């Protein structure tokens, strides 16, 4: 398995281009199942999770043509296997996003239950409950979700937990249902809005995406569309923290500042100076940042996917920072590894108290999940000496060409095959 070797102490400066958003691309790729006409997508990030999703869609019967400009054409004219096998779902739980579209378009679907994952149990009960409310017959047998339906019927669905992919799955299913569906307590993430905008380009009738109530008027069919995936706000946030921790100065191009208010606010509180244009972000940081307190919550509050990165920021900042994780029950896997680098972190329930130290020391550490791995890269950038991060396939799921982008900013990162 690949490793990353990082020599710390380099100040990051310069500019990089932000890739398309993984968590917008995943549901949007699955939207290709909703129509027999072609869906052309631009700005698709080159990530393992994207290739896993393309493999799954190909397995179902979608014709896929990648072009050299990072675009892809998907054509779901003839879907042959209405299933998502365990072998694919076990590597990526977001595979559950084929359930709603397959059921809405074809009336049946056989999707493996996603297992648990490093950051928590992550059930899909709200996805299932919502589809049942729309008239689906759903049984769970031998680890698979077996779903059948005539034409789905519009329904009023209240989700008692804010769920991003749950909102996306039900929104996609509702586009072809008969009548009106109202999703209440819906997720407001920008990636949900990006999916809604793509579905509207395909002929769907959706109102309220981005608010906590989304209304979908079902239509007979969706049609061909050409859509550009939004920039990745978590990739953007990760590089901003990297530059801030090294006392650097960077510019992000093709980014989405308007989707990063909570993160930019926290970075300013830590002492970074940030200027935003409509698709670029400039950051300049002092030699040492101030520790910040944060509490994760659904958008527009501070994103859980940036929690580990700010834990790394607090590890070498001035003072004590309090980090509270409210979304997932086990999203502190990076703490143990950061302690190996010399971080002073105490955990009390779902809150971590991080006492900033002047310097971390390089060591060998192990990645456990996508954003935890990213936080270890950030810590390694400021640690004395060399840090080797093992199992970096986690990182390759969500960060396109991470070593190239970091080295372009002056870091010293080497991939060991
Ligand atoms: C999405 O996961 C993201 N993944 C995650 O990003 C992100 O961390 C998460 O939203 C929260 O923002 C994608 O969009 C592909 P949830 P998702 O359903 O949809 C509970 C990354 O790093 N819940 O919003 O799976 C659940 O247990 C990944 O890119 C139920 O109880 O998360 C959790 O506590 C990691 N029942 C909470 O809701 C359900 O049916 C939020 O989960 C569904 C969820």
């Amino acid at each position: 398995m690949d490793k990353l070797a990082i020599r710390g102490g380099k100040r990051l400066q310069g500019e990089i281009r932000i890739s398309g958003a993984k968590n917008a691309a995943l549901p949007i790729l699955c939207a290709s199942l909703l129509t027999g006409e072609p869906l052309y997508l631009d700005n698709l990030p080159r990530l393992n999770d994207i290739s896993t999703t393309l493999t799954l869609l190909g397995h179902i019967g979608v014709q896929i043509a990648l072009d050299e400009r990072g675009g892809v054409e998907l054509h779901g004219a003839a879907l042959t296997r209405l299933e998502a096998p365990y072998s694919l779902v076990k590597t990526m739980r977001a595979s559950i996003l084929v359930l709603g579209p397959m059921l809405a378009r074809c009336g049946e679907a056989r999707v493996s239950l996603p297992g648990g994952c490093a950051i928590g149990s992550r059930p899909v009960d709200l996805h299932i409950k919502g589809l049942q409310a729309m008239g689906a017959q759903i049984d769970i047998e031998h680890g698979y979700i077996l779903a059948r339906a005539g034409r789905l019927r519009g329904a009023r669905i209240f989700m008692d937990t804010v769920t991003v992919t749950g909102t996306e799955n039900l929104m996609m299913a509702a586009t072809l249902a008969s009548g009106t569906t109202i999703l209440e307590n819906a997720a407001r993430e920008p990636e949900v809005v990006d999916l809604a905008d793509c579905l509207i380009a395909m002929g769907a009738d959706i109102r309220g995406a981005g608010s906590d109530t989304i209304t979908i008027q079902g239509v007979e069919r969706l049609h061909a569309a050409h859509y550009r995936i939004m920039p990745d706000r978590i990739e953007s946030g990760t590089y901003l923290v990297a530059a801030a921790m090294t006392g650097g100065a960077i510019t992000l191009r093709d980014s989405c500042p308007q989707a990063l208010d909570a993160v930019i606010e926290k970075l300013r509180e830590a002492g970074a100076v940030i200027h935003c244009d409509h698709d670029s972000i400039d950051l300049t940081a002092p030699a040492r940042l101030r520790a910040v307190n944060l509490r994760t919550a659904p958008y527009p509050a501070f994103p859980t996917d940036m929690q580990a990165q700010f834990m790394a920021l607090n590890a070498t900042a001035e003072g004590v920072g309090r980090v509270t994780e409210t979304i997932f029950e086990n999203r502190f896997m990076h703490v143990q590894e950061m302690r190996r680098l010399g971080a002073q972190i105490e955990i009390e329930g779902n809150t971590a108290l991080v006492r900033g130290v002047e310097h971390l020391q390089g060591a060998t550490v192990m990645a456990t999940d996508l954003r935890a791995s990213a936080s270890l890269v950030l810590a390694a950038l400021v640690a004395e000496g060399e840090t080797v991060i093992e199992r970096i396939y986690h990182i390759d799921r969500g960060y396109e060409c991470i070593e190239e982008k970091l080295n372009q900013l002056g870091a010293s990162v080497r991939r060991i095959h």
Side-chain angles (χ1 to χ4, degrees):
M1 285 191 262
D2 284 5
K3 301 175 185 175
L4 281 184
I6 300 175
R7 180 154 295 287
K10 305 283 188 348
R11 188 172 172 275
L12 298 193
Q13 48 189 33
E15 88 175 43
I16 53 168
R17 188 190 163 280
I18 293 299
S19 305
K22 168 177 85 81
N23 290 349
L26 295 179
I28 287 173
L29 285 167
C30 297
S32 64
L33 295 164
L34 288 165
T35 175
E37 299 185 21
L39 174 60
Y40 187 86
L41 302 175
D42 248 336
N43 201 29
L44 198 68
R46 287 189 300 277
L47 298 168
N48 292 357
D49 273 12
I50 299 298
S51 21
T52 302
T53 304
L54 291 172
T55 303
L56 171 57
L57 293 172
H59 174 87
I60 296 171
V62 177
Q63 302 298 315
I64 293 161
L66 286 157
D67 72 22
E68 67 295 332
R69 290 181 308 104
V72 65
E73 179 175 285
L74 303 117
H75 200 168
L79 304 184
T80 50
R81 279 180 292 205
L82 300 177
E83 62 162 25
Y86 177 67
S87 56
L88 286 172
V89 174
K90 73 181 177 187
T91 62
M92 188 189 67
R93 52 175 294 100
S95 309
I96 191 78
L97 285 165
V98 300
L99 175 61
M102 266 198 293
L103 193 54
R105 169 103 183 282
C106 309
E108 62 176 282
R110 180 174 176 272
V111 175
S112 168
L113 270 173
C117 104
I119 60 178
S121 59
R122 301 181 73 183
V124 290
D125 56 307
L126 298 176
H127 299 238
I128 291 170
K129 218 172 103 187
L131 291 170
Q132 287 170 327
M134 296 168 81
Q137 166 64 37
I138 297 190
D139 299 300
I140 309 283
E141 283 173 21
H142 306 293
Y144 275 80
I145 300 167
L146 305 176
R148 305 186 73 77
R151 187 178 180 190
L152 291 173
R153 293 186 311 276
R156 186 170 162 283
I157 300 166
F158 178 80
M159 290 176 279
D160 52 16
T161 306
V162 174
T163 160
V164 175
T165 49
T167 301
E168 293 165 344
N169 230 338
L170 298 177
M171 182 164 72
M172 287 193 278
T175 58
L176 296 179
S178 63
T180 305
T181 297
I182 300 175
L183 300 180
E184 298 202 334
N185 198 27
R188 299 171 55 187
E189 269 68 6
E191 294 78 21
V192 173
V193 177
D194 211 35
L195 170 63
D197 289 346
C198 179
L199 292 168
I200 289 165
M202 294 167 71
D205 179 344
I206 300 173
R207 291 179 179 75
S211 79
D212 60 7
T213 304
I214 303 177
T215 304
I216 305 106
Q217 185 65 40
V219 295
E220 286 307 309
R221 68 181 55 75
L222 298 184
H223 53 66
H226 186 142
Y227 192 75
R228 181 177 177 78
I229 308 283
M230 70 173 279
D232 195 311
R233 64 189 168 103
I234 305 300
E235 183 194 22
S236 301
T238 304
Y239 285 107
L240 289 175
V241 172
M245 288 174 66
T246 62
I250 68 165
T251 298
L252 303 184
R253 291 263 174 262
D254 292 350
S255 186
C256 49
Q258 69 286 356
L260 276 162
D261 286 349
V263 171
I264 288 172
E265 191 46 48
K266 273 300 158 194
L267 281 167
R268 283 177 173 149
E269 201 184 305
V273 175
I274 298 176
H275 295 291
C276 300
D277 192 353
H278 74 283
D279 68 351
S280 69
I281 303 175
D282 287 298
L283 173 142
T284 311
R288 193 168 186 206
L289 297 167
R290 292 188 297 273
V292 290
N293 298 328
L294 65 92
R295 179 185 180 80
T296 66
Y299 194 87
F302 190 91
T304 174
D305 290 350
M306 283 299 301
Q307 176 258 106
Q309 295 91 317
F310 270 76
M311 186 95 70
L313 182 151
N314 277 341
T316 55
E318 174 87 44
V320 179
R322 197 175 53 251
V323 175
T324 301
E325 172 59 57
T326 73
I327 304 286
F328 292 111
E329 68 269 24
N330 185 28
R331 206 171 194 176
F332 283 156
M333 309 278 279
H334 40 287
V335 169
Q336 199 52 36
E337 297 304 309
M338 273 190 209
R339 284 176 179 147
R340 287 180 47 71
L341 300 173
Q344 304 288 314
I345 307 174
E346 301 298 318
I347 294 182
E348 290 157 20
N350 67 344
T351 294
L353 273 178
V354 188
R355 191 176 304 283
V357 295
E358 286 272 343
H359 297 290
L360 296 174
Q361 293 88 29
T364 298
V365 288
M366 188 168 73
T368 51
D369 63 272
L370 169 53
R371 306 304 174 184
S373 326
S375 71
L376 295 176
V377 171
L378 300 182
L381 290 173
V382 297
E384 285 171 342
E386 182 172 77
T387 297
V388 175
I389 303 175
E390 301 184 332
R391 301 193 181 179
I392 59 151
Y393 58 86
H394 290 292
I395 294 182
D396 294 333
R397 295 185 53 177
Y399 291 91
E400 182 176 336
C401 308
I402 189 163
E403 66 266 31
E404 282 87 343
K405 291 193 181 185
L406 284 172
N407 289 338
Q408 201 179 316
L409 292 170
S412 166
V413 183
R414 198 164 37 89
R415 181 176 287 253
I416 306 168
H417 296 288

